[in-house]
Amino acid sequence: MNQNPQHPDGDRKDPEEIISAFLDGLLTEEESQEFLKRLESDEASRELYLEMMNLDSLLQWEEGQTDPLAEEFCTPEIITQTEPAQDLKVASTRKQLAFTRYALAATLAVCVCLAMLLLMESQPAQAIARIDSSDGVPAAMIIEEHDAVWERTEWTQDVSKPLVPGWLKLKSGRALIDFLGGTTIALEGPAELGLNSDSRAYLKSGRLAVVGTSRNHDFTLTTANLTILSQSANFGLAVNPDNESELHVFEGSVQVTRSLSRPDEDIDQEQVPDQPILVEAGQAIVFNSQGREQNRLVADQQTFPARSQFSVADPPGDIPAIDFASTKIEPYSFQDGQYELPTNYQLIENGKGIRLWGNAWKSVEVNQEITPDTVIEFDFRSSHQGQIHGFGFDTDREYNRENHTFQIYGYEAWSHIGQQLNTYSGTGWKRFRIRVGRYLTGKYRYLHFIADEDVIARAESQFRNVRIYEAPPQP
């Protein structure tokens, strides 16, 4: 491809400058003829010429010299070259407008660069022990407890509510914590844990295990001297009062780097940064109080809390499943069939289940009082992944960002929908048993089901044996 096309005037490289000179009558006869030939073959130049010619006409009209151009321009082939008298005021105005356009573009570019710099500056530092809860954005939820005793101080938060960035102090017992970014940890007391965000935490002391991740994503766990980066791995971490720690990896792998003892500690210019250590499944490492590797062990999962210790008990007695055959099924808000895409459903499992496909959001009336112990249980499967598969509760059928929607499958992550339950593998039926009372309480009239796909409307969701009940007390 020709990188250096010839111009009508060797001294004029800018197409706008050439067109402006042509309109002002500053080109020679030979240059004008070459310019007109170029218009015949170059569509981009022709469009720019028509735009500038219209601007020139409007400027002259504002000066009282001519009538504005008609809506339809004549083609360049029938334009006749004249010798118009150059209006210096019009030419000056045109140049000022062109300069203004470039100035605005430059200003916009500077704003974009500044915004990117601000975003980069807002990223968390390598080691984060400072917890900022000023924004109040939920980062996690405590979904199960086992003999948990929490210590309340002026710097810890209420564990009965959604957890914002801040501190937790567990005196004894165990707790299962869902980070809304998609990671679940089991915390064992005594322990002090700081929540930085929905995908980052700081273990000051105690013992925990990452026992589940909803999808491939990063989770960062820091201590006073270590930074552990996990990509959907399951591992255990213990920190004693002397800041000595043990890391055991059960599934996947993690990267470990040594953090500064203080985030603002000066770095010796001659100091060589530590290389990340890759710790794989079955491996364990003991670190000293400076974050240096002491020795290696075989990973022992039995020494850490496990998810099985928090399983919700079976429903008390025979809880009937929702009978979709005797329930009115209605569209849920504008989401159902949005953008005029197909939406449909059919009953399955003799009316004990429902299948949705297309871009479908369907609701049924349940009139459910949800308490902290309310559980929803169902089987789910999908033959085609869409953007969002899940369910939700609502007091009406008017969707907004404040509604309670739970995503269990799908490739799209919305900022206001947590990913901690997005655990379906894409194969076969999976039983979900979720203590929804940990996320919302109150009277809810509708339960809706989702197979969302705004692109090609091929999402499919199947739900069966849907039961809502109060969890029995733990033995």
Side-chain angles (χ1 to χ4, degrees):
M1 183 176 66
N2 186 1
Q3 298 287 336
N4 299 289
Q6 297 299 315
H7 293 274
D9 185 350
D11 296 330
R12 305 181 196 274
K13 303 297 184 182
D14 184 7
E16 290 192 7
E17 182 182 354
I18 297 172
I19 296 173
S20 180
F22 176 79
L23 293 174
D24 292 338
L26 300 179
L27 297 182
T28 65
E29 181 66 26
E30 181 181 357
E31 290 172 342
S32 297
Q33 292 302 321
E34 290 182 6
F35 171 69
L36 291 175
K37 289 180 180 179
R38 181 176 178 180
L39 290 183
E40 294 178 5
S41 58
D42 189 340
E43 182 178 356
S45 296
R46 189 160 57 247
E47 290 179 356
L48 180 60
Y49 167 73
L50 293 175
E51 177 185 348
M52 293 186 64
M53 188 170 65
N54 186 37
L55 175 61
D56 183 76
S57 175
L58 288 173
L59 290 172
Q60 294 188 43
W61 174 66
E62 289 179 355
E63 296 297 322
Q65 298 178 14
T66 183
D67 293 329
L69 289 178
E71 291 295 327
E72 298 183 356
F73 299 101
C74 59
T75 59
E77 288 83 350
I78 61 174
I79 296 175
T80 57
Q81 177 68 25
T82 61
E83 298 292 336
Q86 181 187 8
D87 190 312
L88 297 178
K89 189 173 183 181
V90 170
S92 175
T93 304
R94 186 188 305 114
K95 291 176 181 177
Q96 290 177 20
L97 287 174
F99 175 79
T100 302
R101 180 164 59 181
Y102 288 127
L104 287 174
T107 302
L108 180 60
V110 171
C111 291
V112 170
C113 291
L114 289 175
M116 293 177 65
L117 288 173
L118 288 173
L119 286 173
M120 293 172 63
E121 289 294 327
S122 67
Q123 297 300 313
Q126 178 78 356
I128 296 185
R130 303 185 181 95
I131 310 296
D132 180 13
S133 61
S134 59
D135 56 5
V137 176
M141 292 288 300
I142 296 175
I143 57 172
E144 294 293 337
E145 296 173 281
H146 188 274
D147 298 330
V149 178
W150 299 94
E151 182 173 340
R152 289 300 308 275
T153 69
E154 61 181 7
W155 47 267
T156 58
Q157 54 182 309
D158 186 353
V159 297
S160 66
K161 299 178 180 179
L163 304 176
V164 298
W167 287 98
L168 299 175
K169 191 168 185 178
L170 180 62
K171 294 180 64 175
S172 61
R174 294 186 294 269
L176 193 65
I177 304 174
D178 267 354
F179 283 79
L180 302 187
T183 296
T184 301
I185 69 168
L187 182 67
E188 184 175 272
E192 291 184 64
L193 181 70
L195 309 181
N196 299 104
S197 70
D198 63 2
S199 59
R200 189 177 185 119
Y202 176 90
L203 183 61
K204 183 177 181 181
S205 63
R207 184 179 296 266
L208 63 75
V210 174
V211 296
T213 56
S214 64
R215 56 194 175 88
N216 292 329
H217 74 288
D218 292 345
F219 180 76
T220 303
L221 185 61
T222 60
T223 70
N225 46 50
L226 296 175
T227 296
I228 302 167
L229 176 62
S230 163
Q231 293 182 324
S232 304
N234 287 350
F235 63 93
L237 179 67
V239 178
N240 67 22
D242 295 325
N243 285 333
E244 298 170 337
S245 55
E246 283 190 28
L247 171 67
H248 295 239
V249 180
F250 313 129
E251 295 180 15
S253 63
V254 302
Q255 279 193 345
V256 185
T257 54
R258 194 169 69 93
S259 305
L260 298 175
S261 58
R262 300 191 311 273
D264 56 353
E265 180 179 351
D266 291 334
I267 300 177
D268 187 344
Q269 296 297 324
E270 297 181 355
Q271 178 182 355
V272 178
D274 292 340
Q275 293 297 316
I277 301 174
L278 180 66
V279 188
E280 299 180 319
Q283 299 178 342
I285 299 181
V286 178
F287 296 91
N288 64 17
S289 58
Q290 284 76 45
R292 300 288 188 185
E293 179 179 338
Q294 290 289 93
N295 61 298
R296 296 207 171 207
L297 308 170
V298 176
D300 185 2
Q301 198 164 1
Q302 301 301 318
T303 60
F304 292 89
R307 184 164 195 150
S308 59
Q309 298 170 324
F310 300 93
S311 298
V312 179
D314 292 332
D318 185 15
I319 305 297
I322 293 178
D323 184 5
F324 292 96
S326 61
T327 303
K328 186 177 181 181
I329 300 172
E330 299 181 281
Y332 177 69
S333 80
F334 66 89
Q335 293 283 1
D336 187 61
Q338 189 179 20
Y339 309 119
E340 299 183 356
L341 292 172
T343 171
N344 213 332
Y345 74 92
Q346 69 177 128
L347 302 184
I348 59 175
E349 304 285 336
N350 295 318
K352 299 301 182 182
I354 185 172
R355 172 178 178 259
L356 294 74
W357 70 90
N359 188 32
W361 294 57
K362 304 296 182 183
S363 66
V364 296
E365 191 168 345
V366 293
N367 291 313
Q368 181 70 40
E369 182 73 34
I370 298 180
T371 75
D373 294 320
T374 300
V375 174
I376 186 170
E377 175 186 289
F378 56 86
D379 300 324
F380 172 83
R381 75 176 177 185
S382 173
S383 61
H384 194 282
Q385 183 182 32
Q387 292 169 292
I388 297 175
H389 303 254
F391 67 96
F393 291 90
D394 200 356
T395 55
D396 52 29
R397 292 196 299 272
E398 299 298 325
Y399 177 82
N400 58 64
R401 293 175 64 89
E402 303 302 320
N403 289 31
H404 298 283
T405 299
F406 299 85
Q407 182 173 351
I408 57 177
Y409 189 41
Y411 62 83
E412 184 170 82
W414 288 2
S415 60
H416 60 291
I417 299 179
Q419 295 297 303
Q420 72 276 16
L421 303 175
N422 190 351
T423 58
Y424 180 68
S425 65
T427 305
W429 289 101
K430 176 177 179 177
R431 171 67 56 87
F432 283 86
R433 187 177 286 174
I434 302 167
R435 194 188 292 264
V436 292
R438 293 287 181 167
Y439 299 90
L440 66 155
T441 56
K443 184 74 172 181
Y444 288 87
R445 184 175 180 181
Y446 297 101
L447 169 64
H448 56 271
F449 302 92
I450 305 167
D452 180 89
E453 175 58 86
D454 295 340
V455 182
I456 56 177
R458 291 183 58 195
E460 192 231 23
S461 294
Q462 297 184 45
F463 298 85
R464 71 179 185 186
N465 301 324
V466 182
R467 296 179 173 90
I468 303 174
Y469 59 89
E470 296 298 298
Q474 294 180 346

